[in-house]
Amino acid sequence: MRVSAGLITLLALVGQAAVPAGKGSAAGRVAGHIVILEKDNKTSPDLSDAVLYLEAPATVSTAAQPTTVEIAITDKTYAPHVVVVPVGSTVRFPNHDPFNHNVFSVSEPNSFDLGLYGRGEAKSYTFAHPGLVRVYCNVHPRMVAYVLVMENRYFAQPGNDGSFAIDNVPAGRYRLHAWHERIPSEVVKDVSSGGNEDLQIALNARGYKWQPHHNKYGRNYPTNAGRERY
Ligand SMILES: [Cu+2]
């Protein structure tokens, strides 16, 4: 195969850009793999629903540009199931089902209630505070999504194989947090930018059990909820 000189130059440039930041450079990366420990050592279908993020020291500039992302509702399911956004970002919830949904959350200080709305409509909410937001539907108790609102831009979700990388991290010491909906609390580890690129993080979900939650009125869902005929 003949490769043009131009392409070789391009590949060389890309190769340079991909070299991890070394000593003396302004930014590095924090990277590795997560595994989820499952009951009966089953394989995990939802590794990419984890979130890894860095708690930054006050000396590090952490400004992140707010963004708008979508969580679509189809067949009584939120997709994606987990999103992670910088503080100030907006999430749109378009309803593609031929019946009504009521998106809401009671997670303070980001609680909200979008009310009932039907097919073809989309409502949005802007998250003004960092934190974990559990998003439910007041009609369908099994509808769950998570919005993780971040203080800074140093976060990532793993690929389907559990590999993750947080790039362009200024030199320094950080606390790496690993979150997943099926572990009882976040795993926290001290890391340094550029010095931790092959982390192995195990998340223990062996004790996980689905827990029913309350509706927006703080009460149990009607016993026929989930089997409703819309
Ligand atoms: Cu619903």
Side-chain angles (χ1 to χ4, degrees):
M1 190 179 83
R2 291 182 63 135
V3 181
S4 76
L7 180 57
I8 289 169
T9 310
L10 179 65
L11 288 171
L13 286 171
V14 170
Q16 268 172 19
V19 170
K23 209 177 162 192
S25 79
R29 75 183 343 203
V30 174
H33 272 87
I34 63 154
V35 292
I36 303 179
L37 309 177
E38 306 283 359
K39 238 179 263 170
D40 306 322
N41 296 319
K42 275 186 264 185
T43 51
S44 308
D46 53 356
L47 284 168
S48 60
D49 281 338
V51 173
L52 290 303
Y53 67 94
L54 299 180
E55 207 183 310
T59 48
V60 168
S61 153
T62 61
Q65 196 65 31
T67 172
T68 297
V69 302
E70 201 168 276
I71 297 180
I73 306 169
T74 311
D75 296 333
K76 292 190 258 178
T77 305
Y78 290 118
H81 182 56
V82 176
V83 299
V84 51
V85 291
V87 67
S89 296
T90 299
V91 180
R92 269 182 96 235
F93 297 91
N95 179 1
H96 300 303
D97 279 334
F99 45 86
N100 290 341
H101 293 287
N102 181 171
V103 182
F104 78 97
S105 178
V106 293
S107 297
E108 295 298 348
N110 281 309
S111 63
F112 67 96
D113 180 3
L114 300 184
L116 270 181
Y117 59 96
R119 175 181 231 160
E121 274 192 82
K123 293 196 179 178
S124 301
Y125 188 75
T126 299
F127 295 90
H129 309 278
L132 170 66
V133 185
R134 295 179 171 86
V135 179
Y136 299 140
C137 171
N138 202 51
V139 185
H140 307 105
R142 284 275 172 171
M143 286 178 62
V144 181
Y146 298 90
V147 179
L148 281 91
V149 186
M150 296 284 117
E151 242 163 323
N152 62 46
R153 60 188 164 81
Y154 308 117
F155 55 79
Q157 287 186 269
N160 292 329
D161 63 350
S163 65
F164 70 91
I166 304 172
D167 283 310
N168 299 315
V169 181
R173 302 282 299 165
Y174 296 83
R175 309 250 300 157
L176 172 69
H177 291 246
W179 174 91
H180 192 280
E181 65 172 308
R182 294 190 291 107
I183 61 171
S185 58
E186 293 180 356
V187 171
V188 183
K189 233 177 157 68
D190 288 323
V191 298
S192 57
S193 168
N196 290 106
E197 302 191 17
D198 193 21
L199 294 160
Q200 306 298 322
I201 297 170
L203 310 178
N204 190 345
R206 286 184 177 134
Y208 173 76
K209 220 175 129 223
W210 162 264
Q211 295 288 345
H213 57 83
H214 287 150
N215 65 15
K216 69 180 184 182
Y217 305 111
R219 299 193 206 105
N220 292 332
Y221 283 75
T223 47
N224 64 346
R227 293 191 294 276
E228 71 293 318
R229 294 175 60 84
Y230 319 131

